[in-house]
Amino acid sequence: MHAISRLFSTITIRKPFWLWVAICLLVGVSTAALIGILHTTSAVRQEAQTRFFEQYNRQQLILAEQAAHSIEETFATFRRNLSLVASLFEEDGVNRERAQLLGGTLQRMYESLMETDIIDLVVFDKAGTVVAISPSDEYTLGRNYAWRDYYQWARDEGRPGQMYLSPFMRLEGGQNRGDKALIVAQGIYSKQGDFNGVAMFTLNFDKLAKRQVLSVTIGEHGFAWLVDNNQQSVLVDPLGRVTDLDFTATFLPRWPKLYNLLISMQDGRPGTGSYDFVDPVDPNQSVSKLVGYQPIRIEDRLWTLGVATPTREVDALLSSFLQQQERYSGTLVVIIFTGTFILLSALLSWNHILAIQVDRRTLDLAEARNRLESTFDELLSSKKLAAVGHLALGLAHEIRNPLSAIRMNIQMIRKRTKAEGPLEEHFSIVEEEILRLNRLVNDVMDFARARPLRLEQTSLNPIIHRVMKLFAQRFKEAGIHTELQLRDDLALVCDPEQIEQVILNLVSNAIEALEECDGYRELTLILRRHRPYLSLQVIDNGHGIAADDREKVFDPFYTTKVSGGGLGLPTLQGIVLRHQGTITVDSAPGEKTCFTLLLPLEGPQEHDPRQQNESEI
C-alpha cells in the first residue's frame, strides 16, 4: 500500500510523462504481438506442411504395407494348393489315367480358387505333355509344352514344395489369347525325389491388379503402383495402368528422380519419398508426388508396391486445417486490440480524473489510493487478456494441444465481459469452431493410429442381430423393411469389436440413404462363403451414388452431406485392409447401392521370418 502511495505521488507530480510512456509502451507491446502473430502464422504453415507431408507419407506406407501383405498371402495360397495337387500324383506318378481318375478332385479345387483370379489349373507329365486341365480345354489337352520355362525349371532346378513365378507375360494361345497373365508352377516329384511332372496355375493379372493394387486409392488421383525389381519392369504404372514398361527406357530420359527411386528399391526395404511424374489432369505437365512403398517377396522374386498422391491434393487437405488456425489468429488479434483500446480508454479516463483532483486539491488520499488500486486491477485484467495473445505462439509448434487452452481463455473472457447480443453470438461461433477443429484433429489421429487387432474365432450372426436390434426403432420410424440372409455355419478369425464397428457404420449409412428417398424402402444383409473368404453385402434401394461420388467415398473428409464429413468410411476401409480383406461399392444414380465386404476366413496371416530370410539369401 505504501508503494502504491509513493507511485501515486510520483504520477501526480509527473503525470504527463508517465502517462505517455505507459501509452507508448502499451501500443508497442500490442504492435509487437500483432507482428509476432503474423510472422508466426507463416512459420506455422511451413512447419505444418513439413509435418503433414511426413504424416501423410506414413499413412501411405501403412496402406502399401497392408496391400503388400495381402498379395503375399494370395501367392502363399497358390503355393499351398500347388503342393496339394503335387501330393495327389506323388505315389502313382503323372499319367493320363491317373489324371482322369482325379478329374473331379482337380475340378473342385479349381472351382474353390475361382475367386483368386485363376484362369486354369494344368498338370503336365514328365515329358511336358498336358494330362489334365480345368476348366476343360480340348485344344490344350495332350499338347506338349516341354519348351516352357516353368517346365524346364521344375525339371532341372526345382525341388519339392518350391514354387516358380513367371515374369509378366501376354498369353499367346488358347481361349485366353492376349490376356495379361502370370504363371505359378511347382514340380511333381516322387518320394525319392525323381521328377514326374509339373502342376501349374495361370493367373489373370488384370483381375489380380484391379482387386489388390488398383483398389488401393487415396485422394482423387492417388494410385497404387507395382514394379518387378528382378525384371526392372513396371507391372502397374504410376497412373494406374497395367503394363510391362522397362525402368530405363520409360523413366530415365524424362523422370530420372523416379528412375533412381525405383532402382533404390532393389535392396528390398520399405520407405517413403517423392518424385515428379506426368500430371493425370494435364499429361503435358508434370506434378510432384508423395509416395510410401513396401517390398513384396514371393519365393526368390522381389516386387515393390507403392502408394502415391500428388502433393497439391495433400496441400489442399492441409489448407483446410490451416484456415481454421488463421481464423483463430485473427480472433486473437481482435482480442488484443480490444484489450488495448479498453486499457487506453481507462488510462485516459484516469488521467482526466487525476487532473481534476490536482486542480481542486481536495481529494482525499485514501479515495485516490482506492482509485489507483482499481486502476491496477484493470491493468492486471488487461495483462491477462494480453497473455491470451501469447497462446498464438504455441500454434507455431502444435495444432491440437493449444485448442483447449484457447477455449478456456475464450470462456474466461466471455464470463468477465458478460457479453450479450451480437458479441455473445461471436463468442459462440468461435467456441463452436474450436470444437469442430478439435473433432477434425481427433479424427485424423484415429485414422492414422489404429489400435492393434484382437483376433478370435467369431460368428458374425450375433453381431449382425445386435446391430439390427440397435436400429430397430429407427427402422420402424422410417418405414424400412429389412431382410437378413445369413448362414449359421460361418465363422472367421477377426477382431469382433472392430468388425462390429464396420457393420454398424455400413448399416447406419444405408439408413441415412433410405431416409432421403420416398416410396418402398428396403435394407438387405447377405452373409455367405467365398472360399477362402467370407462375403458380407449391405444393400439398400435408395437413390444410389453418382460415379464421381462413388470413386471418392473412401477419401478422408469427403462427403455429400450438408452437415460435413469425417473419417467414417476411410476408417472402415483401414479396418478391412488390416484384416487383409477388401471392401467395394457398386451403385449408380437411381439404382440400389451394395457395399461388399470380403474377409479371409482364417484371419490375417503373419509373415514367417524364416521364409523371409530364405528369400533374402
Side-chain angles (χ1 to χ4, degrees):
M1 188 65 68
H2 294 294
I4 293 177
S5 298
R6 289 195 298 273
L7 179 59
F8 173 74
S9 300
T10 304
I11 294 176
T12 302
I13 297 172
R14 300 181 178 180
K15 61 181 186 299
F17 173 77
W18 286 108
L19 177 61
W20 289 111
V21 168
I23 292 174
C24 293
L25 181 62
L26 187 58
V27 172
V29 170
S30 301
T31 303
L34 175 60
I35 294 174
I37 289 174
L38 296 177
H39 176 74
T40 302
T41 299
S42 176
V44 165
R45 175 175 287 274
Q46 183 63 39
E47 184 172 351
Q49 183 186 58
T50 301
R51 294 191 179 186
F52 196 81
F53 277 15
E54 292 174 355
Q55 180 64 29
Y56 199 91
N57 247 345
R58 284 195 292 270
Q59 184 62 34
Q60 292 188 138
L61 180 59
I62 291 172
L63 290 176
E65 181 181 5
Q66 293 169 343
H69 186 60
S70 179
I71 293 175
E72 288 179 342
E73 179 53 32
T74 296
F75 280 91
T77 299
F78 297 151
R79 181 175 59 187
R80 289 193 295 268
N81 282 276
L82 286 172
S83 296
L84 180 58
V85 174
S87 68
L88 296 175
F89 293 91
E90 187 177 50
E91 293 186 359
D92 298 324
V94 184
N95 52 59
R96 190 67 175 271
E97 291 75 17
R98 178 63 176 167
Q100 289 176 346
L101 183 63
L102 295 173
T105 301
L106 296 176
Q107 180 63 25
R108 287 191 296 273
M109 183 176 296
Y110 164 77
E111 291 174 354
S112 71
L113 294 172
M114 290 179 65
E115 295 292 333
T116 60
D117 310 319
I118 286 181
I119 295 176
D120 54 29
L121 162 60
V122 187
V123 179
F124 305 84
D125 65 14
K126 65 187 304 179
T129 301
V130 177
V131 298
I133 181 170
S134 294
S136 177
D137 183 358
E138 295 300 327
Y139 173 81
T140 303
L141 192 64
R143 296 178 68 89
N144 186 276
Y145 291 88
W147 51 276
R148 287 289 193 181
D149 291 343
Y150 53 83
Y151 171 83
Q152 295 179 6
W153 170 86
R155 182 191 62 193
D156 302 333
E157 303 177 28
R159 59 179 184 271
Q162 188 177 14
M163 187 177 75
Y164 170 90
L165 173 63
S166 73
F168 178 92
M169 60 185 296
R170 297 176 187 270
L171 297 180
E172 300 177 356
Q175 57 188 0
N176 298 104
R177 179 189 300 272
D179 284 357
K180 301 166 188 175
L182 296 175
I183 288 177
V184 290
Q186 193 173 120
I188 302 174
Y189 306 92
S190 67
K191 292 184 178 180
Q192 292 74 31
D194 298 327
F195 173 72
N196 284 335
V198 178
M200 181 266 283
F201 291 139
T202 306
L203 310 181
N204 187 320
F205 186 73
D206 272 316
K207 291 183 179 180
L208 186 146
K210 182 177 181 181
R211 183 167 58 86
Q212 296 196 322
V213 179
L214 297 179
S215 63
V216 181
T217 60
I218 182 170
E220 183 178 0
H221 294 106
F223 296 105
W225 46 257
L226 183 66
V227 298
D228 185 336
N229 300 89
N230 299 99
Q231 299 293 320
Q232 291 198 0
S233 64
V234 180
L235 301 178
V236 180
D237 73 11
L239 292 178
R241 299 172 299 194
V242 177
T243 180
D244 56 350
L245 301 175
D246 176 75
F247 284 5
T248 304
T250 306
F251 302 120
L252 182 57
R254 188 176 177 188
W255 314 109
K257 189 172 182 180
L258 176 55
Y259 172 79
N260 293 332
L261 179 66
L262 294 174
I263 293 299
S264 71
M265 295 175 184
Q266 301 287 56
D267 61 6
R269 296 180 180 178
T272 60
S274 64
Y275 62 86
D276 295 329
F277 196 61
V278 175
D279 189 341
V281 177
D282 184 358
N284 296 320
Q285 303 293 328
S286 64
V287 63
S288 177
K289 289 189 173 185
L290 298 178
V291 63
Y293 54 87
Q294 178 73 21
I296 302 174
R297 299 188 181 277
I298 305 171
E299 294 295 326
D300 59 347
R301 299 187 69 83
L302 175 64
W303 291 354
T304 300
L305 185 143
V307 178
T309 307
T311 54
R312 63 165 175 260
E313 292 189 24
V314 187
D315 269 327
L317 186 60
L318 173 63
S319 295
S320 66
F321 291 101
L322 292 183
Q323 285 174 2
Q324 301 294 330
Q325 182 268 334
E326 291 170 356
R327 183 180 300 175
Y328 301 138
S329 297
T331 302
L332 290 175
V333 170
V334 172
I335 292 174
I336 290 173
F337 275 98
T338 301
T340 301
F341 176 77
I342 294 173
L343 186 55
L344 286 174
S345 299
L347 287 174
L348 292 173
S349 176
W350 168 75
N351 181 65
H352 177 70
I353 294 172
L354 185 59
I356 295 175
Q357 292 175 346
V358 171
D359 292 338
R360 293 181 179 179
R361 303 279 184 176
T362 57
L363 184 62
D364 184 78
L365 183 59
E367 293 177 356
R369 186 181 298 116
N370 290 337
R371 283 200 205 41
L372 187 55
E373 289 175 355
S374 176
T375 302
F376 271 94
D377 288 339
E378 292 180 10
L379 180 59
L380 181 59
S381 297
S382 298
K383 287 184 177 180
K384 289 181 179 179
L385 289 176
V388 177
H390 291 291
L391 293 177
L393 299 179
L395 295 174
H397 306 289
E398 300 291 340
I399 293 178
R400 179 187 181 192
N401 293 339
L403 292 179
S404 59
I406 294 174
R407 185 184 178 198
M408 179 185 69
N409 280 271
I410 290 296
Q411 289 175 340
M412 180 183 69
I413 296 170
R414 188 178 186 179
K415 181 177 179 181
R416 290 198 174 190
T417 58
K418 297 180 180 180
E420 296 180 354
L423 185 57
E424 168 65 13
E425 293 179 5
H426 292 322
F427 276 122
S428 298
I429 292 172
V430 171
E431 196 163 358
E432 288 174 3
E433 289 298 319
I434 291 173
L435 292 174
R436 191 167 79 88
L437 181 59
N438 192 54
R439 286 195 298 271
L440 291 175
V441 174
N442 285 336
D443 277 350
V444 172
M445 296 293 288
D446 290 340
F447 185 60
R449 284 197 314 239
R451 69 165 177 78
L453 298 177
R454 302 188 182 101
L455 302 176
E456 58 183 70
Q457 190 76 14
T458 305
S459 172
L460 293 191
N461 285 5
I463 295 177
I464 293 174
H465 286 299
R466 188 162 55 248
V467 170
M468 299 301 284
K469 184 177 180 181
L470 180 64
F471 289 108
Q473 183 62 31
R474 194 168 173 186
F475 289 144
K476 182 177 180 181
E477 293 175 352
I480 298 174
H481 301 271
T482 61
E483 180 182 354
L484 302 181
Q485 300 179 21
L486 310 180
R487 286 186 54 175
D488 295 331
D489 59 340
L490 292 184
L492 76 161
V493 177
C494 68
D495 185 325
E497 181 180 337
Q498 293 203 15
I499 295 302
E500 181 170 354
Q501 178 185 347
V502 171
I503 297 174
L504 187 70
N505 187 293
L506 291 177
V507 173
S508 176
N509 285 351
I511 293 173
E512 290 181 3
L514 289 170
E515 288 176 340
E516 295 175 357
C517 67
D518 299 325
Y520 181 76
R521 301 172 178 176
E522 183 179 45
L523 174 63
T524 305
L525 273 72
I526 303 175
L527 184 64
R528 57 189 175 187
R529 184 194 307 270
H530 277 286
R531 289 186 178 272
Y533 295 93
L534 179 146
S535 169
L536 173 64
Q537 292 181 308
V538 179
I539 308 170
D540 68 77
N541 67 335
H543 290 306
I545 304 174
D548 292 342
D549 293 330
R550 189 173 62 249
E551 294 176 358
K552 304 174 184 177
V553 293
F554 295 110
D555 289 357
F557 302 104
Y558 182 80
T559 183
T560 59
K561 302 175 184 177
V562 177
S563 58
L567 290 167
L569 285 176
T571 300
L572 180 154
Q573 184 188 46
I575 293 174
V576 173
L577 287 176
R578 289 170 57 227
H579 279 80
Q580 297 173 14
T582 61
I583 181 168
T584 57
V585 58
D586 183 18
S587 182
E591 298 182 4
K592 292 183 178 181
T593 298
C594 176
F595 281 86
T596 301
L597 179 67
L598 288 178
L599 294 171
L601 290 168
E602 300 299 325
Q605 302 297 314
E606 298 293 335
H607 290 282
D608 185 347
R610 294 172 298 176
Q611 177 186 332
Q612 182 172 345
N613 290 338
E614 291 174 1
S615 299
E616 290 175 353
I617 293 172

